[in-house]
Amino acid sequence: MTAATGAAGGPLQFARNERRRFYEELSEFLRIPSVSAKSEHDPDTARAARWLRDHMAAAGLEAEVLPTAGHPVALGEWRGAGPDAPTLLVYGHYDVQPPEPLDLWDSPPFEPSVRDGRLYARGAADDKGQLFMHVKALESHLAARGSLPVNVVVLAEGEEEIGSPNLLPFVKQHRERLEAGTVVISDSAMFAPGQPSLLYSLRGLAYFELHASGPATDLHSGAYGGAVRNPANALAALLAGLQEADGRIAVPGFYDDVEEPDPEALARVRALPFDEEAFAQEVGVATLAGGEKGRSPLERLWARPSCDINGMASGYAGEGAKTVLPARAMAKVSFRLVPNQTPERVRTLVERHVRNNAPEGVEVRVAALHGARPWRAKLEGEVFEAAARALEASFGRRPVLAGEGGTIPIVVELEELLQADTLLMGFALPGANMHAPNEWLATDCFERGLDALVRLYDEL
Ligand code: BES
Ligand code: MN
Ligand code: MN
């Protein structure tokens, strides 16, 4: 006899009873500064992988750390349901974004702190906290019943925040071990507080560096300005030329592959309760003036491409004035993509555009950093329904179907390689400060989300 999910001695009860310990363990995980972008943190990133392995092993999974050409993968497996039972693949990432600027944190990024119902730490929401919830859901089932209704593989990578450059070869190499009918990912947000969501789309990404170089060395801007072309001016002109006044991207051919959102998806978006003013206020701007005119903010965020400068560097930016004509200028520029755009095609178009528009007297070079294809859910069947029931039982509200403007690079490739469908159910909240100072995860979402993940296994 196995205990029912919600019964005394069942997995739900176990998860509730062990909550304090779960928070302590999550804090331990969050204390490891597994910043994948910085090589000085490589030992920490490796430590986080081992922590996760040990933790999955303690939860009752077979677990190991496997190498890649970059940061390692922590893999957990439970195959007790037998070869004929379906397999679920849980994907997440244990790496985090750099915490800087440190002075903007109210408590240190790697010293987790609970305030006002929020657990603050780098990675609390993206994605350590959410990945941890999955491990705890598995532990709760295995502890309460000794078994799960399906086989489970947990694939936790350490390079998501740098574009997952080595995960595809890993997945290809270990394809048989990763074989699964469904991929489940919690690395996103709910639509609103109290309102769980299932995602039906993610945008893709094409990320570049633009380098403009001019004179052999920095020059006196009086002695040379007006005769020598300034690379910063030139780059600024190029950057300004990437967008039209109406917000459309000005790179010729850019929209050729952009599919108009289908009417059904648009109607679904319009039916969502979205308060544009509150959203603007939350991020501290007067109006939502980015992107294309004539389309709603959610449509612009979820179903239309965008172009953003992520960083710029050139010349003198210190205190006071320095009259200088810089020898070089650099900008980081990213494009978010929608079906049927590909990062490769966008790269070709951007390179051509820059070549055709580079002002005389400077040399402009485009370096492609990472890319990812956009994703759309194929899934509206049984698994979707199971997840919806689990979320409804835990949050007291049926989930809404929502899109997402961010990117999870491996999703499309995992689906293609494994011939699987993906379920994206996230438990962060809007405003969770992913990638920003004071990242947080609501304790209520952690608890209800964990509850939902425990239920998911019984609903499947
Ligand atoms: N978890 C995010 C993606 C995300 C963000 C989903 C917000 C839902 C809401 C993920 O860790 C991420 O930051 N992805 C990067 C991808 C990039 C580094 C290749 C992104 O979207 O910028
Ligand atoms: Mn993430
Ligand atoms: Mn992220």
Side-chain angles (χ1 to χ4, degrees), residues 50-368:
R50 293 195 303 269
W51 187 95
L52 194 55
R53 171 200 61 198
D54 294 345
H55 206 75
M56 289 194 288
L61 308 179
E62 276 185 35
E64 60 184 313
V65 171
L66 292 164
T68 75
H71 298 304
V73 161
L75 195 74
E77 292 166 277
W78 190 84
R79 307 232 177 240
D84 296 330
T87 301
L88 194 75
L89 177 88
V90 175
Y91 163 85
H93 62 96
Y94 67 80
D95 64 321
V96 299
Q97 286 277 333
E100 288 80 10
L102 294 176
D103 53 317
L104 294 185
W105 286 78
D106 295 328
S107 54
F110 299 110
E111 291 172 29
S113 147
V114 178
R115 299 190 300 276
D116 305 325
R118 295 172 172 184
L119 172 60
Y120 286 90
R122 171 57 86 232
D126 186 11
D127 175 43
K128 282 172 167 173
Q130 300 197 59
L131 171 60
F132 180 82
M133 287 160 70
H134 278 276
V135 178
K136 292 290 116 176
L138 296 170
E139 177 184 327
S140 300
H141 276 276
L142 293 174
R145 294 179 179 155
S147 72
L148 287 155
V150 291
N151 298 309
V152 179
V153 182
V154 181
L155 169 67
E157 72 153 317
E159 300 195 310
E160 196 276 346
E161 298 292 11
I162 52 172
S164 303
N166 298 296
L167 191 57
L168 186 57
F170 178 92
V171 173
K172 285 183 175 159
Q173 188 189 343
H174 298 277
R175 188 200 194 128
E176 275 171 28
R177 274 176 91 173
L178 301 174
E179 213 57 69
T182 307
V183 179
V184 185
I185 304 176
S186 298
D187 187 22
S188 54
M190 311 201 321
F191 181 69
Q195 178 58 68
S197 54
L198 289 166
L199 293 193
Y200 65 81
S201 68
L202 291 167
R203 287 195 293 187
L205 185 67
Y207 200 122
F208 306 97
E209 266 177 20
L210 268 52
H211 294 266
S213 49
T217 176
D218 284 5
L219 300 171
H220 189 292
S221 68
Y224 296 93
V228 174
R229 170 99 64 181
N230 181 325
N233 293 24
L235 186 61
L238 254 180
L239 293 172
L242 288 175
Q243 262 155 307
E244 314 275 9
D246 64 1
R248 277 175 70 88
I249 290 153
V251 177
F254 189 86
Y255 287 93
D256 290 357
D257 297 330
V258 173
E259 202 178 88
E260 278 295 324
D262 68 84
E264 200 189 320
L266 267 188
R268 221 160 45 208
V269 170
R270 295 212 177 98
L272 290 171
F274 182 74
D275 184 338
E276 186 168 344
E277 245 169 77
F279 187 92
Q281 203 178 16
E282 198 178 279
V283 294
V285 297
T287 56
L288 299 182
E292 296 164 87
K293 301 267 176 293
R295 297 182 190 259
S296 74
L298 289 183
E299 185 186 348
R300 271 139 57 203
L301 282 170
W302 295 349
R304 299 297 295 174
S306 60
C307 167
D308 281 288
I309 298 169
N310 296 258
M312 294 194 263
S314 185
Y316 181 73
E319 191 182 346
K322 175 189 180 189
T323 47
V324 63
L325 193 164
R328 266 174 275 285
M330 185 278 290
K332 295 186 187 263
V333 179
S334 69
F335 296 84
R336 296 284 167 174
L337 313 183
V338 301
N340 299 307
Q341 294 181 288
T342 64
E344 293 76 22
R345 178 80 186 131
V346 170
R347 175 181 179 172
T348 304
L349 296 173
V350 168
E351 282 173 345
R352 191 171 66 200
H353 179 71
V354 167
R355 214 170 33 240
N356 291 343
N357 292 278
E360 214 185 319
V362 298
E363 198 199 315
V364 185
R365 186 169 60 83
V366 178

